Amino acid sequence: MTISTGESLITEADIDDLINRVRLTAGDPGDLESAKAALFSGAAPDPEAARLIRQRLLVTALHHGGALLAKLLSRLSPRETAMVRRYAHRLANFLDTLEVWAAQPIMLALMRFGLPYEEAETIAVAVLVLVW
């Protein structure tokens, strides 16, 4: 989802922060740099490809934290924020297995982790708003 101006909710600064965090863990930020170039090179990427890139960025943020994860958490209550932080790696691993991101499978996974329905629903919607 995009905000009304048509701009992505994920910014270049968010990706730069992820790149730095991945480097600090001795990871290879090559994919992140490619994602940044694809999203912000000036030419509008294919909407489907851009969505897939944003999904990969969110999964990386769940593993490494940072500004992008903070954007997700800012949409949640303190209790929901604590749950996302607690289950961030499990949620990231689950999202990696999904071919199509939709609210219901994300909610069900969160409920299997032990979250109540209402919190699982709010978190699933927040995740989808950030990548769509």
Side-chain angles (χ1 to χ4, degrees), residues 63-122:
H63 282 298
H64 294 280
L68 182 55
L69 183 59
K71 279 187 178 181
L72 171 66
L73 298 178
S74 71
R75 300 173 174 277
L76 305 173
S77 71
R79 179 171 163 78
E80 293 159 348
T81 296
M83 290 295 150
V84 170
R85 289 185 186 278
R86 180 176 180 182
Y87 297 110
H89 290 285
R90 287 178 70 184
L91 178 57
N93 292 338
F94 172 75
L95 292 172
D96 255 346
T97 67
L98 288 180
E99 288 186 30
V100 176
W101 285 27
Q104 185 176 18
I106 296 170
M107 287 171 48
L108 292 174
L110 290 168
M111 290 168 61
R112 280 192 300 270
F113 299 163
L115 276 72
Y117 176 85
E118 292 82 17
E119 291 170 345
E121 180 180 38
T122 302

Side-chain angles (χ1 to χ4, degrees), residues 2 7 12 20-21 28 33 40 45-47 49 51 56 67-68 71-72 82-84 86 92 95 97 99 104 125 131:
T2 56
E7 297 173 10
E12 285 184 78
N20 290 332
R21 289 174 174 280
D28 179 18
E33 290 166 347
F40 300 103
D46 169 50
R51 183 182 52 77
R56 294 297 320 139
L68 182 55
K71 279 187 178 181
L72 171 66
M83 290 295 150
V84 170
R86 180 176 180 182
L95 292 172
T97 67
E99 288 186 30
Q104 185 176 18
V125 168
V131 299

